[in-house]
């Protein structure tokens, strides 16, 4: 199994607390870390980073405003989580099919974030994302209702969310089944495996390659302007600038088709990310999601990105998407059997 | 040491070198001791993606579009003119050519492999870091990483291959292996097997022109290695950027309409 | 200690529900909960690829006929990170598959639980060539 090169203890010492901390004395004085910089003087964020963690995305409600686990609480939480989420356990319901395969294929990680946060979301203060706006809520409910009506006729199948959804046309399937998006990409939220990002930085550009699905965000730091408002892209249009040693990236021009935890976002989404390298070589990543027509308030999350020893591998998806054909074939057979076309 | 024959030999040697300098070596004077910097947005401006070999203009796949979509003419980019196919492989190219409008993996929005990615009609961005060079292509979000230190062997074949680079003077030399057999070299059915081995050479001819050479070796398909050569041009000025070209939605009817029907 | 642990019972329920189960396509749309299947067969071909690896096996039926089955696995990248590669599962290795059959009726199954005859999970227990 993959291991971070830095011990969790050392990271916890240096990263505890919400702000970028002054370095505490590292456990091994020989590993004195210095900020890598490019010729232009800016920190060099290049490297391979992971955000895999079993820290919950949102804080369990009972924990209220408690931001950090104690060491003992963390140990207990990790133990119970790993037992509960062990994919080698079998049930005999649909979640077993969705469970897909043995535990070794999955790679969510087995540790909490090194600073022992109780959630990735840190604002609002209760660690939970704000409610949807009434209009957005109504629109999503109407969509769900339309799906329900559609699925009274043949050609639907149970989605990974556990509810029937159309499965007879590619455009009706989710972005993941179509191999268009396998994660949120922006912001960088952890997923079930391949939670890896490669940053290569040069003068005037920071490129971030998200392993799934080989999605490169090319972030200009040359002061250039965003694309015109009428041009929309799935992963928006990013522009970066430096505030001291922090890279600030603002992404706009989203198409409005989002995935996973960002599914409620629309075309008015704006994401602001802050990247800061801190001792002993952790990339503190903080992001704010601001979409006033979707959520009633902006929300912020934080994930220390940890370097990994290995490399990114190519994740070609569309090229090998036999699952799409298999799903369509099954759904269209169902329609034929029921007398449709 | 002395004597007319030595002098004339030296003169002709100098003349020969001079000729090759004019023909092949970049005229751009690279600052001594500094690693060349290839970062930026580049694009080929030729018809190599239509056909690597020299070709006349031809009707395109949709005659009803008239002159909107024709196969443009091109003088070819193959050094020596013709690709040296083995006889059986030439028959396969002919078969590919006959089905090119449906069988070309580019039409399916599949990642194009190397070297084709570098001469697609879409830009790409080279991001040159200290020990890694990322090349991000606009088409199909294709991307490759050039390792400047030995990464060990590839664990399996991939669409964009396994690239290991080093500098020879001012030239970046990239060794590309472990590509699968499923890409074509152009829209005319030129193809390869999974034994493909490509060696690329990138040299700045001037600040905004990057000379690109790729030597292609595949003993299952070609009788000997062969080379393509072309300039790549930098996108300059404000507003130069790659945009999102997610072509999957454009292929879904084409690929899936017939499935289960 | 016990009191400190109490909230986590609820936390875990929320956590498991919130886990991003979906980093792959809809499995229940491809494989049938109502057709659980057990296969025992010999590897003929392995495709380490994405989004899913495929392990092809020949399954000998009681009547002596041989069926060719395709077993869907996970992302090859996970295997590469474990130090495995395209040569790590030899042709001829016997494996046992406990999964669900394809909804379209083909001889295809998801490798929900794949083991070697000695009980070791595939890839964790090694996959030696046939004796």
């Amino acid at each position: 199994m993959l291991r971070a090169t830095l011990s969790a203890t050392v990271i916890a010492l240096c990263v505890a607390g919400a702000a970028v901390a002054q370095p505490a004395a590292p456990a091994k004085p020989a590993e004195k870390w210095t900020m890598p910089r490019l010729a232009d003087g800016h920190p060099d964020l290049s490297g391979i980073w992971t955000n895999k963690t079993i820290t919950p995305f949102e804080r369990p409600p009972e924990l209220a405003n408690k931001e950090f686990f104690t060491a003992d609480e963390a140990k207990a939480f990790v133990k119970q989580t790993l037992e509960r989420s062990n994919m080698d356990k079998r049930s005999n319901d649909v979640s077993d099919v969705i469970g897909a395969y043995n535990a070794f294929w999955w790679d969510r990680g087995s540790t909490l974030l090194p600073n022992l946060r109780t959630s990735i979301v840190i604002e609002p203060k209760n660690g939970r994302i704000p409610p949807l706006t009434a209009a957005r809520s109504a629109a999503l409910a109407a969509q769900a209702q339309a799906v329900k009506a559609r699925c009274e006729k043949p050609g639907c199948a149970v989605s990974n969310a556990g509810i029937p959804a159309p499965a007879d046309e590619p455009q009706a399937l989710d972005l993941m089944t179509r191999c268009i998006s396998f994660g949120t990409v922006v912001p960088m939220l952890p997923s079930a495996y391949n939670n890896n990002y490669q940053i290569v930085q040069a003068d005037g550009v920071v490129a971030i390659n998200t392993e799934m699905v080989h999605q490169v965000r090319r972030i200009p730091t040359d002061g250039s302007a965003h694309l015109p408002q009428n041009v929309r892209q799935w992963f928006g249009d990013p522009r970066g600038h430096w505030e001291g040693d922090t890279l600030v990236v603002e992404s706009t021009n989203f198409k409005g088709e989002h995935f996973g935890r960002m599914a409620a976002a629309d075309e008015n989404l704006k994401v602001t990310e802050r990247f800061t390298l801190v001792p002993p070589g952790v990339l503190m990543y903080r992001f704010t999601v601001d979409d006033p027509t979707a959520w009633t308030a902006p929300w912020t999350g934080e994930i220390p990105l940890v370097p990994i020893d290995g490399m990114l591998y190519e994740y070609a998806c569309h090229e090998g998407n036999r699952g799409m054909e298999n799903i369509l074939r099954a759904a269209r057979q169902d329609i034929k059997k029921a007398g449709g076309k | 040491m002395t004597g007319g024959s030595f002098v004339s030999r030296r003169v002709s040697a100098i003349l020969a070198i001079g000729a090759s300098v004019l023909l092949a070596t970049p005229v751009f004077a690279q600052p001594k001791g500094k690693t060349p910097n290839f970062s930026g947005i580049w694009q080929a401006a030729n018809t190599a993606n239509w056909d690597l070999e020299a070709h006349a203009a031809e009707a395109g796949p949709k005659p009803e579009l008239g002159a909107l979509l024709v196969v443009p003419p091109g003088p070819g980019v193959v050094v020596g003119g013709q690709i040296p196919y083995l006889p059986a492989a030439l028959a396969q190219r002919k078969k590919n050519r006959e089905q090119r409008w449906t069988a070309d993996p580019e039409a399916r929005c599949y990642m194009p492999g190397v070297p084709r990615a570098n001469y697609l009609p879409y830009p790409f961005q080279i991001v040159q870091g200290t020990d890694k060079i990322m090349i991000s292509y606009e088409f199909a979000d294709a991307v490759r990483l050039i390792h400047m230190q030995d990464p060990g062997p590839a664990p399996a074949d991939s669409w964009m291959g396994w690239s290991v680079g080093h500098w020879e003077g001012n030239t970046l030399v990239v060794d590309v292996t472990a590509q699968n057999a499923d890409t074509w070299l152009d829209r005319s059915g030129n193809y390869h097997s999974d034994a493909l081995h490509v060696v690329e050479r990138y040299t700045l001819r001037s600040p905004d022109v990057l000379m690109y050479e790729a030597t292609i070796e595949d003993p299952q398909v070609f009788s000997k290695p062969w080379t393509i050569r072309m300039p790549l041009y930098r996108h300059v000025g404000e507003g130069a950027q790659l945009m999102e070209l997610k072509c999957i939605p454009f292929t879904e009817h084409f690929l899936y309409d017939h499935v289960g029907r | 200690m016990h009191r400190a642990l109490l909230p986590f019972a609820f936390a875990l329920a929320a956590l498991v529900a919130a886990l991003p189960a979906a980093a792959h396509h809809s499995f229940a749309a491809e494989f049938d909960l109502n057709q659980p299947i057990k296969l025992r067969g010999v590897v003929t071909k392995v495709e380490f690829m994405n989004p899913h690896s495929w392990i092809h096996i020949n399954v000998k039926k009681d009547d002596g006929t041989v069926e060719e089955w395709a077993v869907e696995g996970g992302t090859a990248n996970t295997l590469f990170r474990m130090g495995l590669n395209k040569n790590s599962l030899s042709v001829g290795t016997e494996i046992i598959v406990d999964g669900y059959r394809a909804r379209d009726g083909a001889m295809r199954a998801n490798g929900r639980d794949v083991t070697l005859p000695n009980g070791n999970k595939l890839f964790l227990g090694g996959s030696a060539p046939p004796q």
Side-chain angles (χ1 to χ4, degrees):
Chain A
M1 235 3 171
L2 210 56
R3 299 166 69 82
T5 51
L6 306 166
S7 79
T9 322
V10 174
I11 297 170
L13 278 174
C14 298
V15 172
V20 174
Q22 285 303 302
K28 292 183 189 150
E31 286 179 17
K32 180 169 155 48
W33 176 85
T34 52
M35 177 76 85
R37 293 186 187 274
L38 291 185
D40 61 14
H42 294 303
D44 184 5
L45 308 184
S46 298
I48 305 184
W49 310 92
T50 186
N51 60 1
K52 76 176 175 187
T53 181
I54 57 173
T55 298
F57 175 65
E58 288 183 283
R59 188 174 307 138
E62 321 69 54
L63 295 183
N65 289 2
K66 181 181 163 71
E67 280 192 89
F68 298 94
F69 290 117
T70 63
D72 282 340
E73 288 167 342
K75 258 216 277 226
F77 183 85
V78 168
K79 182 166 185 283
Q80 289 168 66
T81 302
L82 294 181
E83 275 167 10
R84 191 69 176 261
S85 62
N86 178 8
M87 299 304 274
D88 279 339
K89 292 219 291 271
R90 301 287 301 274
S91 64
N92 288 316
D93 53 31
V94 76
S95 66
D96 198 45
V97 187
I98 293 171
Y101 19 67
N102 287 117
F104 70 78
W105 290 105
W106 300 85
D107 194 14
R108 299 187 207 284
S110 53
T111 54
L112 294 169
L113 292 175
N115 52 13
L116 305 187
R117 277 201 176 279
T118 51
S119 61
I120 290 173
V121 175
I122 58 172
E123 270 161 38
K125 277 275 164 276
N126 67 353
R128 300 189 66 75
I129 60 177
L132 295 173
T133 62
R136 189 64 180 138
S137 203
L140 291 173
Q143 275 176 32
Q145 192 52 41
V147 165
K148 207 158 167 237
R150 160 71 187 83
C151 290
E152 272 152 27
K153 300 187 298 259
C156 284
V158 174
S159 72
N160 278 352
I163 49 172
D168 63 321
E169 288 297 344
Q171 297 78 23
L173 286 161
D174 60 282
L175 295 184
M176 192 171 58
T177 303
R178 298 167 76 188
C179 280
I180 291 173
S181 175
F182 250 63
T184 51
V185 179
V186 43
M188 297 156 71
L189 298 181
S191 163
Y193 41 75
N194 296 335
N195 289 302
N196 305 306
Y197 305 84
Q198 178 147 26
I199 298 180
V200 179
Q201 182 176 332
D203 185 23
V205 63
V206 177
I208 305 179
N209 184 7
T210 302
E211 184 161 333
M212 296 201 296
V213 180
H214 60 84
Q215 187 65 47
V216 179
R217 297 172 66 205
R218 301 160 291 252
I219 303 167
T221 52
D222 58 0
S224 54
H226 277 288
L227 290 169
Q229 267 302 291
N230 64 304
V231 177
R232 296 294 165 136
Q233 308 193 128
W234 256 285
F235 298 117
D237 183 52
R239 286 291 182 274
H241 67 274
W242 291 92
E243 288 176 8
D245 282 344
T246 293
L247 175 68
V248 182
V249 181
E250 287 167 351
S251 299
T252 57
N253 297 69
F254 287 93
K255 221 164 134 62
E257 285 184 48
H258 299 280
F259 179 76
R261 299 202 188 280
M262 294 295 290
D266 58 26
E267 70 279 5
N268 298 319
L269 175 68
K270 177 171 156 182
V271 180
T272 305
E273 302 159 283
R274 305 177 76 89
F275 297 82
T276 314
L277 270 175
V278 301
V282 166
L283 185 54
M284 281 306 279
Y285 172 65
R286 194 178 271 219
F287 60 90
T288 298
V289 170
D290 186 3
D291 191 341
T293 47
W295 289 284
T296 48
W299 46 279
T300 295
E302 183 186 83
I303 304 174
L305 303 175
V306 172
I308 66 169
D309 250 340
M311 60 176 77
L312 249 65
Y313 294 102
E314 181 180 277
Y315 191 91
C317 186
H318 172 66
E319 292 80 357
N321 196 1
R322 299 176 194 170
M324 167 67 82
E325 294 185 27
N326 299 337
I327 290 170
L328 293 176
R329 196 178 300 112
R332 289 169 179 174
Q333 275 174 11
D334 288 348
I335 293 174
K336 263 195 225 162
K337 270 188 229 155
K341 271 210 289 238
Chain B
M1 297 301 280
T2 53
S5 62
F6 171 72
V7 170
S8 66
R9 275 205 311 277
R10 260 182 76 86
V11 166
S12 37
I14 290 167
L15 285 173
I17 292 168
S20 69
V21 163
L22 286 173
L23 285 173
T25 315
V27 298
F28 176 56
Q30 181 68 41
K32 254 194 160 73
K34 273 193 89 179
T35 309
N37 181 6
F38 298 160
S39 286
I41 297 174
W42 303 91
Q43 187 169 346
N46 55 31
T47 64
N49 190 51
W50 286 99
D51 193 337
L52 288 170
E53 293 177 331
H55 54 278
E58 227 185 289
K62 295 259 175 217
E64 58 268 31
L65 292 176
L68 272 185
L69 186 56
V70 299
V71 178
V77 295
V78 179
V79 175
Q82 285 206 308
I83 300 172
Y85 277 96
L86 293 166
L90 203 54
Q92 179 60 49
R93 179 180 77 171
K94 184 163 183 284
K95 260 199 240 160
N96 289 349
R97 210 162 250 188
E98 283 155 11
Q99 310 167 69
R100 59 187 149 147
W101 305 125
T102 49
D104 185 348
E106 183 194 344
R108 292 159 188 238
C109 188
Y110 288 175
M111 288 194 279
V114 178
R116 189 176 188 182
N118 281 5
Y119 48 82
L120 289 175
Y122 310 103
F124 56 91
Q125 184 158 7
I126 298 178
V127 184
Q128 186 172 324
T130 38
D131 68 343
K132 304 260 190 286
I133 300 175
M134 186 188 291
I135 307 187
S136 171
Y137 297 90
E138 193 176 83
F139 182 75
D141 299 305
V143 54
R144 54 192 283 222
L145 191 81
I146 301 173
H147 299 272
M148 297 304 287
Q149 286 154 1
D150 184 10
D157 286 351
S158 62
W159 289 81
M160 296 301 288
W162 194 249
S163 295
V164 185
H166 69 276
W167 293 98
E168 285 177 12
N170 292 324
T171 296
L172 175 67
V173 182
V174 185
D175 197 277
V176 189
T177 54
Q179 293 193 70
N180 66 35
D182 301 327
T183 60
W184 282 8
L185 295 169
D186 60 24
R187 290 177 180 170
S188 283
N190 284 308
Y191 77 104
H192 61 84
S193 77
D194 62 2
L196 179 68
H197 176 211
V198 180
V199 179
E200 303 173 290
R201 305 178 72 87
Y202 298 79
T203 318
L204 279 172
R205 187 179 192 278
S206 65
D208 298 331
V209 181
L210 188 56
M211 290 310 294
Y212 176 64
E213 223 178 81
T215 298
I216 291 156
E217 192 184 336
D218 188 339
Q220 290 178 20
V221 179
F222 312 114
S223 59
K224 57 180 179 166
W226 50 283
T227 298
I228 59 173
R229 188 180 292 146
M230 66 188 75
L232 301 172
Y233 298 99
R234 187 192 291 275
H235 281 227
V236 297
E238 277 177 35
Q241 74 170 90
L242 266 61
M243 290 175 62
E244 213 178 63
L245 178 48
K246 289 191 165 314
C247 41
I248 290 173
F250 306 138
T251 66
E252 283 169 329
H253 284 293
F254 167 90
L255 287 175
Y256 304 124
D257 270 357
H258 66 282
V259 171
R261 289 195 171 127
Chain C
M1 194 57 83
H2 178 68
R3 281 166 70 87
L5 287 177
L6 263 180
F8 296 117
F10 292 102
L12 280 169
L15 167 70
V16 172
L19 272 178
H24 48 264
H25 65 246
S26 175
F27 263 73
E30 194 180 353
F31 300 102
D32 192 346
L33 168 68
N34 299 314
Q35 293 191 68
I37 189 162
K38 276 189 170 62
L39 302 167
R40 186 172 181 130
V42 154
V43 174
T44 56
K45 182 164 107 164
V46 180
E47 298 178 276
F48 282 145
M49 53 186 276
N50 294 303
H52 297 284
S53 295
W54 290 90
I55 303 169
H56 300 266
I57 56 174
N58 276 356
V59 177
K60 199 187 264 184
K61 312 293 292 176
D62 290 332
D63 62 4
T65 56
V66 171
E67 286 180 344
E68 293 178 5
W69 282 79
V71 179
E72 190 181 87
T75 166
N77 296 15
T78 299
L79 300 181
F80 300 156
R81 289 201 174 88
M82 289 165 66
L84 303 170
N85 61 36
K86 61 189 172 192
N87 302 314
S88 296
L89 178 55
S90 312
V91 166
T93 307
E94 194 178 21
I95 62 172
I96 298 164
V97 177
D98 183 351
Y100 296 89
R101 186 173 183 155
R103 285 186 69 236
D104 67 3
M107 285 194 284
R108 212 184 300 120
N110 81 327
R112 181 63 186 86
D113 204 359
V114 184
T115 54
L116 299 171
N118 65 5
N120 286 342
K121 299 254 181 276
L122 183 63
F123 297 125
L124 299 186
S127 43
Q131 302 310 314

